[in-house]
PDB file of all heavy atoms in Angstrom:
ATOM      1  N   ASN A   1      -6.528  10.267  11.121  1.00  0.00           N
ATOM      2  CA  ASN A   1      -6.471  11.505  11.795  1.00  0.00           C
ATOM      3  C   ASN A   1      -6.600  12.714  10.789  1.00  0.00           C
ATOM      4  O   ASN A   1      -6.574  12.477   9.654  1.00  0.00           O
ATOM      5  CB  ASN A   1      -5.079  11.747  12.516  1.00  0.00           C
ATOM      6  CG  ASN A   1      -4.906  10.667  13.667  1.00  0.00           C
ATOM      7  OD1 ASN A   1      -5.820  10.218  14.340  1.00  0.00           O
ATOM      8  ND2 ASN A   1      -3.708  10.261  13.858  1.00  0.00           N
ATOM      9  N   SER A   2      -6.986  13.827  11.256  1.00  0.00           N
ATOM     10  CA  SER A   2      -7.170  15.024  10.485  1.00  0.00           C
ATOM     11  C   SER A   2      -8.100  14.735   9.368  1.00  0.00           C
ATOM     12  O   SER A   2      -7.728  15.025   8.152  1.00  0.00           O
ATOM     13  CB  SER A   2      -5.705  15.521   9.875  1.00  0.00           C
ATOM     14  OG  SER A   2      -4.866  15.735  11.006  1.00  0.00           O
ATOM     15  N   LEU A   3      -9.193  14.208   9.616  1.00  0.00           N
ATOM     16  CA  LEU A   3     -10.120  13.756   8.613  1.00  0.00           C
ATOM     17  C   LEU A   3     -10.695  14.933   7.868  1.00  0.00           C
ATOM     18  O   LEU A   3     -10.904  16.009   8.423  1.00  0.00           O
ATOM     19  CB  LEU A   3     -11.266  12.865   9.138  1.00  0.00           C
ATOM     20  CG  LEU A   3     -10.857  11.458   9.546  1.00  0.00           C
ATOM     21  CD1 LEU A   3     -11.824  10.762  10.528  1.00  0.00           C
ATOM     22  CD2 LEU A   3     -10.792  10.623   8.241  1.00  0.00           C
ATOM     23  N   LYS A   4     -10.917  14.721   6.538  1.00  0.00           N
ATOM     24  CA  LYS A   4     -11.432  15.663   5.628  1.00  0.00           C
ATOM     25  C   LYS A   4     -12.849  15.288   5.126  1.00  0.00           C
ATOM     26  O   LYS A   4     -13.072  13.980   4.973  1.00  0.00           O
ATOM     27  CB  LYS A   4     -10.453  15.995   4.491  1.00  0.00           C
ATOM     28  CG  LYS A   4      -9.061  16.304   4.961  1.00  0.00           C
ATOM     29  CD  LYS A   4      -8.130  16.499   3.845  1.00  0.00           C
ATOM     30  CE  LYS A   4      -6.792  16.872   4.254  1.00  0.00           C
ATOM     31  NZ  LYS A   4      -5.820  17.044   2.981  1.00  0.00           N
ATOM     32  N   PRO A   5     -13.695  16.133   4.672  1.00  0.00           N
ATOM     33  CA  PRO A   5     -14.978  15.700   3.988  1.00  0.00           C
ATOM     34  C   PRO A   5     -14.693  14.747   2.889  1.00  0.00           C
ATOM     35  O   PRO A   5     -15.541  13.891   2.584  1.00  0.00           O
ATOM     36  CB  PRO A   5     -15.579  17.073   3.569  1.00  0.00           C
ATOM     37  CG  PRO A   5     -14.960  18.028   4.588  1.00  0.00           C
ATOM     38  CD  PRO A   5     -13.613  17.646   4.827  1.00  0.00           C
ATOM     39  N   GLU A   6     -13.644  14.932   2.115  1.00  0.00           N
ATOM     40  CA  GLU A   6     -13.320  14.169   0.994  1.00  0.00           C
ATOM     41  C   GLU A   6     -12.994  12.629   1.391  1.00  0.00           C
ATOM     42  O   GLU A   6     -12.811  11.899   0.544  1.00  0.00           O
ATOM     43  CB  GLU A   6     -12.266  14.691   0.108  1.00  0.00           C
ATOM     44  CG  GLU A   6     -10.968  15.226   0.752  1.00  0.00           C
ATOM     45  CD  GLU A   6     -11.121  16.648   1.117  1.00  0.00           C
ATOM     46  OE1 GLU A   6     -12.055  17.114   1.545  1.00  0.00           O
ATOM     47  OE2 GLU A   6      -9.978  17.300   0.915  1.00  0.00           O
ATOM     48  N   ASP A   7     -12.784  12.495   2.686  1.00  0.00           N
ATOM     49  CA  ASP A   7     -12.527  11.069   3.167  1.00  0.00           C
ATOM     50  C   ASP A   7     -13.840  10.320   3.360  1.00  0.00           C
ATOM     51  O   ASP A   7     -13.823   9.108   3.659  1.00  0.00           O
ATOM     52  CB  ASP A   7     -11.750  11.050   4.493  1.00  0.00           C
ATOM     53  CG  ASP A   7     -10.336  11.617   4.387  1.00  0.00           C
ATOM     54  OD1 ASP A   7      -9.622  11.320   3.415  1.00  0.00           O
ATOM     55  OD2 ASP A   7      -9.942  12.401   5.266  1.00  0.00           O
ATOM     56  N   THR A   8     -14.962  10.982   3.142  1.00  0.00           N
ATOM     57  CA  THR A   8     -16.246  10.291   3.275  1.00  0.00           C
ATOM     58  C   THR A   8     -16.390   9.201   2.250  1.00  0.00           C
ATOM     59  O   THR A   8     -16.157   9.464   1.073  1.00  0.00           O
ATOM     60  CB  THR A   8     -17.395  11.280   3.175  1.00  0.00           C
ATOM     61  OG1 THR A   8     -17.348  12.237   4.153  1.00  0.00           O
ATOM     62  CG2 THR A   8     -18.681  10.661   3.120  1.00  0.00           C
ATOM     63  N   ALA A   9     -16.722   8.035   2.743  1.00  0.00           N
ATOM     64  CA  ALA A   9     -16.768   6.781   1.897  1.00  0.00           C
ATOM     65  C   ALA A   9     -17.137   5.537   2.691  1.00  0.00           C
ATOM     66  O   ALA A   9     -17.114   5.617   3.915  1.00  0.00           O
ATOM     67  CB  ALA A   9     -15.442   6.528   1.153  1.00  0.00           C
ATOM     68  N   VAL A  10     -17.489   4.443   1.974  1.00  0.00           N
ATOM     69  CA  VAL A  10     -17.631   3.240   2.667  1.00  0.00           C
ATOM     70  C   VAL A  10     -16.160   2.625   2.635  1.00  0.00           C
ATOM     71  O   VAL A  10     -15.488   2.607   1.484  1.00  0.00           O
ATOM     72  CB  VAL A  10     -18.510   2.358   1.992  1.00  0.00           C
ATOM     73  CG1 VAL A  10     -18.529   0.951   2.641  1.00  0.00           C
ATOM     74  CG2 VAL A  10     -19.978   2.881   1.968  1.00  0.00           C
ATOM     75  N   TYR A  11     -15.681   2.231   3.767  1.00  0.00           N
ATOM     76  CA  TYR A  11     -14.322   1.672   3.859  1.00  0.00           C
ATOM     77  C   TYR A  11     -14.400   0.164   3.946  1.00  0.00           C
ATOM     78  O   TYR A  11     -15.096  -0.468   4.767  1.00  0.00           O
ATOM     79  CB  TYR A  11     -13.569   2.174   5.113  1.00  0.00           C
ATOM     80  CG  TYR A  11     -13.127   3.665   4.858  1.00  0.00           C
ATOM     81  CD1 TYR A  11     -13.989   4.708   4.723  1.00  0.00           C
ATOM     82  CD2 TYR A  11     -11.748   3.882   4.711  1.00  0.00           C
ATOM     83  CE1 TYR A  11     -13.541   5.987   4.573  1.00  0.00           C
ATOM     84  CE2 TYR A  11     -11.397   5.184   4.500  1.00  0.00           C
ATOM     85  CZ  TYR A  11     -12.080   6.197   4.360  1.00  0.00           C
ATOM     86  OH  TYR A  11     -11.722   7.496   4.145  1.00  0.00           O
ATOM     87  N   TYR A  12     -13.603  -0.553   3.096  1.00  0.00           N
ATOM     88  CA  TYR A  12     -13.643  -1.953   2.935  1.00  0.00           C
ATOM     89  C   TYR A  12     -12.319  -2.545   3.366  1.00  0.00           C
ATOM     90  O   TYR A  12     -11.308  -2.037   2.953  1.00  0.00           O
ATOM     91  CB  TYR A  12     -14.067  -2.454   1.623  1.00  0.00           C
ATOM     92  CG  TYR A  12     -15.344  -2.047   1.024  1.00  0.00           C
ATOM     93  CD1 TYR A  12     -15.572  -0.860   0.376  1.00  0.00           C
ATOM     94  CD2 TYR A  12     -16.537  -2.833   1.226  1.00  0.00           C
ATOM     95  CE1 TYR A  12     -16.775  -0.478  -0.035  1.00  0.00           C
ATOM     96  CE2 TYR A  12     -17.705  -2.562   0.722  1.00  0.00           C
ATOM     97  CZ  TYR A  12     -17.861  -1.291   0.090  1.00  0.00           C
ATOM     98  OH  TYR A  12     -19.089  -0.974  -0.342  1.00  0.00           O
ATOM     99  N   CYS A  13     -12.351  -3.648   4.040  1.00  0.00           N
ATOM    100  CA  CYS A  13     -11.154  -4.418   4.469  1.00  0.00           C
ATOM    101  C   CYS A  13     -11.016  -5.539   3.348  1.00  0.00           C
ATOM    102  O   CYS A  13     -11.900  -6.084   2.849  1.00  0.00           O
ATOM    103  CB  CYS A  13     -11.283  -4.929   5.830  1.00  0.00           C
ATOM    104  SG  CYS A  13      -9.959  -6.011   6.352  1.00  0.00           S
ATOM    105  N   LYS A  14      -9.772  -5.737   3.070  1.00  0.00           N
ATOM    106  CA  LYS A  14      -9.409  -6.803   1.995  1.00  0.00           C
ATOM    107  C   LYS A  14      -8.260  -7.603   2.491  1.00  0.00           C
ATOM    108  O   LYS A  14      -7.308  -7.063   3.153  1.00  0.00           O
ATOM    109  CB  LYS A  14      -9.006  -6.097   0.653  1.00  0.00           C
ATOM    110  CG  LYS A  14      -8.510  -7.068  -0.371  1.00  0.00           C
ATOM    111  CD  LYS A  14      -8.017  -6.297  -1.659  1.00  0.00           C
ATOM    112  CE  LYS A  14      -7.535  -7.162  -2.679  1.00  0.00           C
ATOM    113  NZ  LYS A  14      -6.820  -6.323  -3.777  1.00  0.00           N
ATOM    114  N   LEU A  15      -8.304  -8.889   2.236  1.00  0.00           N
ATOM    115  CA  LEU A  15      -7.295  -9.845   2.558  1.00  0.00           C
ATOM    116  C   LEU A  15      -6.833 -10.678   1.277  1.00  0.00           C
ATOM    117  O   LEU A  15      -7.765 -11.099   0.580  1.00  0.00           O
ATOM    118  CB  LEU A  15      -7.681 -10.762   3.657  1.00  0.00           C
ATOM    119  CG  LEU A  15      -6.625 -11.724   4.222  1.00  0.00           C
ATOM    120  CD1 LEU A  15      -6.845 -12.058   5.695  1.00  0.00           C
ATOM    121  CD2 LEU A  15      -6.572 -13.110   3.444  1.00  0.00           C
ATOM    122  N   ASP A  16      -5.547 -10.707   1.028  1.00  0.00           N
ATOM    123  CA  ASP A  16      -5.015 -11.374  -0.107  1.00  0.00           C
ATOM    124  C   ASP A  16      -4.154 -12.548   0.481  1.00  0.00           C
ATOM    125  O   ASP A  16      -3.202 -12.290   1.216  1.00  0.00           O
ATOM    126  CB  ASP A  16      -4.144 -10.488  -0.978  1.00  0.00           C
ATOM    127  CG  ASP A  16      -4.851  -9.486  -1.720  1.00  0.00           C
ATOM    128  OD1 ASP A  16      -5.137  -8.460  -1.091  1.00  0.00           O
ATOM    129  OD2 ASP A  16      -5.182  -9.643  -2.885  1.00  0.00           O
ATOM    130  N   GLN A  17      -4.487 -13.725   0.095  1.00  0.00           N
ATOM    131  CA  GLN A  17      -3.562 -14.804   0.355  1.00  0.00           C
ATOM    132  C   GLN A  17      -3.781 -16.050  -0.633  1.00  0.00           C
ATOM    133  O   GLN A  17      -4.859 -16.225  -1.061  1.00  0.00           O
ATOM    134  CB  GLN A  17      -3.790 -15.347   1.757  1.00  0.00           C
ATOM    135  CG  GLN A  17      -5.127 -16.023   2.080  1.00  0.00           C
ATOM    136  CD  GLN A  17      -5.247 -16.654   3.442  1.00  0.00           C
ATOM    137  OE1 GLN A  17      -4.481 -16.274   4.381  1.00  0.00           O
ATOM    138  NE2 GLN A  17      -6.166 -17.484   3.588  1.00  0.00           N
ATOM    139  N   LEU A  18      -2.642 -16.595  -1.019  1.00  0.00           N
ATOM    140  CA  LEU A  18      -2.713 -17.810  -1.875  1.00  0.00           C
ATOM    141  C   LEU A  18      -3.555 -17.466  -3.147  1.00  0.00           C
ATOM    142  O   LEU A  18      -4.319 -18.252  -3.529  1.00  0.00           O
ATOM    143  CB  LEU A  18      -3.326 -19.001  -1.154  1.00  0.00           C
ATOM    144  CG  LEU A  18      -2.529 -19.440   0.175  1.00  0.00           C
ATOM    145  CD1 LEU A  18      -3.204 -20.639   0.772  1.00  0.00           C
ATOM    146  CD2 LEU A  18      -1.188 -19.813  -0.194  1.00  0.00           C
ATOM    147  N   ASN A  19      -3.294 -16.298  -3.694  1.00  0.00           N
ATOM    148  CA  ASN A  19      -4.007 -15.981  -4.902  1.00  0.00           C
ATOM    149  C   ASN A  19      -5.432 -15.811  -4.777  1.00  0.00           C
ATOM    150  O   ASN A  19      -6.146 -15.852  -5.796  1.00  0.00           O
ATOM    151  CB  ASN A  19      -3.557 -16.834  -6.137  1.00  0.00           C
ATOM    152  CG  ASN A  19      -2.097 -16.725  -6.379  1.00  0.00           C
ATOM    153  OD1 ASN A  19      -1.541 -15.695  -6.452  1.00  0.00           O
ATOM    154  ND2 ASN A  19      -1.530 -17.926  -6.600  1.00  0.00           N
ATOM    155  N   ARG A  20      -5.876 -15.713  -3.570  1.00  0.00           N
ATOM    156  CA  ARG A  20      -7.399 -15.431  -3.406  1.00  0.00           C
ATOM    157  C   ARG A  20      -7.564 -14.181  -2.626  1.00  0.00           C
ATOM    158  O   ARG A  20      -6.743 -13.722  -1.896  1.00  0.00           O
ATOM    159  CB  ARG A  20      -7.986 -16.636  -2.615  1.00  0.00           C
ATOM    160  CG  ARG A  20      -8.098 -17.835  -3.265  1.00  0.00           C
ATOM    161  CD  ARG A  20      -8.880 -18.957  -2.543  1.00  0.00           C
ATOM    162  NE  ARG A  20      -9.096 -20.176  -3.365  1.00  0.00           N
ATOM    163  CZ  ARG A  20      -9.782 -21.153  -2.950  1.00  0.00           C
ATOM    164  NH1 ARG A  20     -10.368 -21.197  -1.746  1.00  0.00           N
ATOM    165  NH2 ARG A  20      -9.825 -22.263  -3.675  1.00  0.00           N
ATOM    166  N   VAL A  21      -8.665 -13.497  -2.977  1.00  0.00           N
ATOM    167  CA  VAL A  21      -9.049 -12.189  -2.437  1.00  0.00           C
ATOM    168  C   VAL A  21     -10.361 -12.258  -1.651  1.00  0.00           C
ATOM    169  O   VAL A  21     -11.298 -12.888  -2.114  1.00  0.00           O
ATOM    170  CB  VAL A  21      -9.121 -11.170  -3.573  1.00  0.00           C
ATOM    171  CG1 VAL A  21      -9.571  -9.782  -2.953  1.00  0.00           C
ATOM    172  CG2 VAL A  21      -7.837 -10.909  -4.287  1.00  0.00           C
ATOM    173  N   TYR A  22     -10.377 -11.646  -0.504  1.00  0.00           N
ATOM    174  CA  TYR A  22     -11.549 -11.641   0.430  1.00  0.00           C
ATOM    175  C   TYR A  22     -11.755 -10.186   0.833  1.00  0.00           C
ATOM    176  O   TYR A  22     -10.924  -9.442   1.080  1.00  0.00           O
ATOM    177  CB  TYR A  22     -11.339 -12.546   1.697  1.00  0.00           C
ATOM    178  CG  TYR A  22     -10.836 -14.011   1.304  1.00  0.00           C
ATOM    179  CD1 TYR A  22      -9.599 -14.296   1.233  1.00  0.00           C
ATOM    180  CD2 TYR A  22     -11.876 -14.946   1.139  1.00  0.00           C
ATOM    181  CE1 TYR A  22      -9.244 -15.633   1.015  1.00  0.00           C
ATOM    182  CE2 TYR A  22     -11.537 -16.263   0.919  1.00  0.00           C
ATOM    183  CZ  TYR A  22     -10.219 -16.647   0.774  1.00  0.00           C
ATOM    184  OH  TYR A  22      -9.833 -17.855   0.468  1.00  0.00           O
ATOM    185  N   TRP A  23     -13.123  -9.905   0.820  1.00  0.00           N
ATOM    186  CA  TRP A  23     -13.550  -8.549   1.143  1.00  0.00           C
ATOM    187  C   TRP A  23     -14.480  -8.661   2.391  1.00  0.00           C
ATOM    188  O   TRP A  23     -15.251  -9.563   2.413  1.00  0.00           O
ATOM    189  CB  TRP A  23     -14.330  -7.942  -0.048  1.00  0.00           C
ATOM    190  CG  TRP A  23     -13.447  -7.480  -1.169  1.00  0.00           C
ATOM    191  CD1 TRP A  23     -13.236  -8.320  -2.228  1.00  0.00           C
ATOM    192  CD2 TRP A  23     -12.738  -6.350  -1.322  1.00  0.00           C
ATOM    193  NE1 TRP A  23     -12.443  -7.684  -3.155  1.00  0.00           N
ATOM    194  CE2 TRP A  23     -12.037  -6.464  -2.612  1.00  0.00           C
ATOM    195  CE3 TRP A  23     -12.518  -5.258  -0.595  1.00  0.00           C
ATOM    196  CZ2 TRP A  23     -11.242  -5.485  -3.139  1.00  0.00           C
ATOM    197  CZ3 TRP A  23     -11.744  -4.177  -1.128  1.00  0.00           C
ATOM    198  CH2 TRP A  23     -11.088  -4.339  -2.334  1.00  0.00           C
ATOM    199  N   GLY A  24     -14.487  -7.501   3.100  1.00  0.00           N
ATOM    200  CA  GLY A  24     -15.403  -7.358   4.208  1.00  0.00           C
ATOM    201  C   GLY A  24     -16.669  -6.712   3.542  1.00  0.00           C
ATOM    202  O   GLY A  24     -16.627  -6.297   2.427  1.00  0.00           O
ATOM    203  N   HIS A  25     -17.689  -6.411   4.410  1.00  0.00           N
ATOM    204  CA  HIS A  25     -18.884  -5.784   3.875  1.00  0.00           C
ATOM    205  C   HIS A  25     -18.871  -4.247   3.982  1.00  0.00           C
ATOM    206  O   HIS A  25     -19.631  -3.592   3.348  1.00  0.00           O
ATOM    207  CB  HIS A  25     -20.163  -6.222   4.752  1.00  0.00           C
ATOM    208  CG  HIS A  25     -20.366  -7.716   4.505  1.00  0.00           C
ATOM    209  ND1 HIS A  25     -20.863  -8.300   3.295  1.00  0.00           N
ATOM    210  CD2 HIS A  25     -20.336  -8.818   5.367  1.00  0.00           C
ATOM    211  CE1 HIS A  25     -21.095  -9.499   3.394  1.00  0.00           C
ATOM    212  NE2 HIS A  25     -20.739  -9.869   4.625  1.00  0.00           N
ATOM    213  N   GLY A  26     -17.810  -3.727   4.575  1.00  0.00           N
ATOM    214  CA  GLY A  26     -17.677  -2.289   4.619  1.00  0.00           C
ATOM    215  C   GLY A  26     -18.173  -1.593   5.823  1.00  0.00           C
ATOM    216  O   GLY A  26     -19.193  -2.084   6.429  1.00  0.00           O
ATOM    217  N   THR A  27     -17.648  -0.342   6.082  1.00  0.00           N
ATOM    218  CA  THR A  27     -18.107   0.341   7.191  1.00  0.00           C
ATOM    219  C   THR A  27     -18.143   1.849   6.773  1.00  0.00           C
ATOM    220  O   THR A  27     -17.222   2.246   6.118  1.00  0.00           O
ATOM    221  CB  THR A  27     -17.314   0.151   8.459  1.00  0.00           C
ATOM    222  OG1 THR A  27     -17.824   0.978   9.553  1.00  0.00           O
ATOM    223  CG2 THR A  27     -15.865   0.668   8.244  1.00  0.00           C
TER     224      THR A  27
END
C-alpha cells in the first residue's frame, strides 16, 4: 500500500528450507 516511485523494482520470491534456497523468476 501507499506505493512510492522508489518501490519500483523486480520483486523476487524466496524460499529457505533444509539449508537450501530457492528463487522465483521475479515480477
Side-chain angles (χ1 to χ4, degrees):
N1 298 328
S2 302
L3 282 160
K4 304 175 181 180
E6 50 263 43
D7 294 318
T8 295
V10 178
Y11 283 69
Y12 296 91
C13 179
K14 178 186 174 187
L15 184 148
D16 293 81
Q17 66 175 16
L18 302 179
N19 295 319
R20 291 190 175 183
V21 175
Y22 303 90
W23 290 94
H25 292 294
T27 183

